[in-house]
């Protein structure tokens, strides 16, 4: 049965404001859209967006070549549509493979997102003010271990206290900062 002689085409009148060609295309999409999409989804390795685009392109080709839809000798236009869809999918894959991969439009998942300069400056001021609220002993440990990068042993030697005391003071200093800087709690480990 050709698209021109299918019951939908013979009995259904075009909707108000649409042309006969538009009505035929809508009927063609309803009748053959599902199988076209299924084929193209497999050919596009599950990329739904690309498959949908290629279904639309296939229907545009059908609209551009009405002689193929009304040709005598076809029992159905589906084989013609599936052939066009397959060729479009192959052409799209070849075009994608022929050009270098696109870069710059997407942010890789592993990329660090850095705050802008103003946010960093504000955070620095907040931390400085919070550190001023600590006792001198806690502040000295934080400055040595976290800001200057000294090891616990080096900080203990510099301050003249046992390493356990350095660890204890660092723990209580960070805990105090978490209370003063609640918005930064995740950064204070």
């Amino acid at each position: 049965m050709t698209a021109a002689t299918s019951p939908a085409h013979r009995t259904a009148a075009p909707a108000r404001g649409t042309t006969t060609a538009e009505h035929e295309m809508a009927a063609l999409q309803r009748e053959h859209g599902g199988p076209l999409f299924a084929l193209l989804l497999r050919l596009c390795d599950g990329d739904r967006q690309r498959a949908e685009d290629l279904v639309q392109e296939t229907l545009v080709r059908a609209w551009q070549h009405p002689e193929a839809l009304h040709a005598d000798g076809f029992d159905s236009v589906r084989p013609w549509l599936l052939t066009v869809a397959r060729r479009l999918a192959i052409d799209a894959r070849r075009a994608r493979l022929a050009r270098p991969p696109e870069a710059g439009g997407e942010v890789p998942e592993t990329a660090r997102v850095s705050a802008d300069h103003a946010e960093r400056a504000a955070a620095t001021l907040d931390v400085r003010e919070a550190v001023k609220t600590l006792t001198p002993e806690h502040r000295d440990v934080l400055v040595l271990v976290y800001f200057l990068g000294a090891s616990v042993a080096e900080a203990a030697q510099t301050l003249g206290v046992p390493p356990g005391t350095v660890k204890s003071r660092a723990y209580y200093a960070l805990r105090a900062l978490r209370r003063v800087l609640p918005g930064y709690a995740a950064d204070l480990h």
Side-chain angles (χ1 to χ4, degrees):
M1 180 182 295
T2 65
T5 61
S6 70
H9 291 281
R10 278 186 280 132
T11 58
R16 183 170 258 167
T18 62
T19 65
T20 302
E22 290 171 339
H23 179 70
E24 285 180 2
M25 287 294 105
L28 195 67
Q29 205 284 329
R30 279 192 305 275
E31 187 175 346
H32 303 288
L36 281 171
F37 180 73
L39 170 72
L40 290 167
L41 191 61
R42 284 192 311 272
L43 293 175
C44 294
D45 300 322
D47 185 343
R48 295 183 67 82
Q49 182 65 45
R50 185 169 287 127
E52 290 172 359
D53 290 346
L54 289 173
V55 167
Q56 293 303 315
E57 182 63 28
T58 302
L59 293 174
V60 166
R61 296 288 172 93
W63 178 71
Q64 291 171 338
H65 299 282
E67 69 278 0
L69 300 178
H70 303 291
D72 292 333
F74 281 148
D75 289 337
S76 173
V77 296
R78 187 171 291 174
W80 184 84
L81 289 170
L82 293 174
T83 299
V84 170
R86 183 177 164 276
R87 289 179 179 165
L88 287 171
I90 290 169
D91 290 347
R93 181 179 297 247
R94 286 179 181 159
R96 223 176 29 259
L97 294 175
R99 65 176 182 240
E102 296 177 9
E106 298 178 17
V107 176
E109 292 179 21
T110 58
R112 281 188 66 142
V113 178
S114 61
D116 66 14
H117 179 69
E119 288 179 18
R120 279 195 311 263
T124 300
L125 290 175
D126 290 344
V127 171
R128 281 185 184 170
E129 290 303 312
V131 169
K132 288 179 185 177
T133 65
L134 298 175
T135 64
E137 293 84 15
H138 291 136
R139 186 176 34 240
D140 292 343
V141 167
L142 277 186
V143 168
L144 283 171
V145 174
Y146 288 98
F147 298 125
L148 298 177
S151 68
V152 172
E154 292 169 342
Q157 185 178 7
T158 302
L159 296 172
V161 296
T165 303
V166 171
K167 291 178 185 178
S168 174
R169 288 180 183 173
Y171 170 80
Y172 286 109
L174 288 176
R175 193 170 90 173
L177 285 179
R178 282 188 198 103
R179 278 185 298 219
V180 177
L181 298 168
Y184 298 93
D187 297 334
L188 300 173
H189 296 282

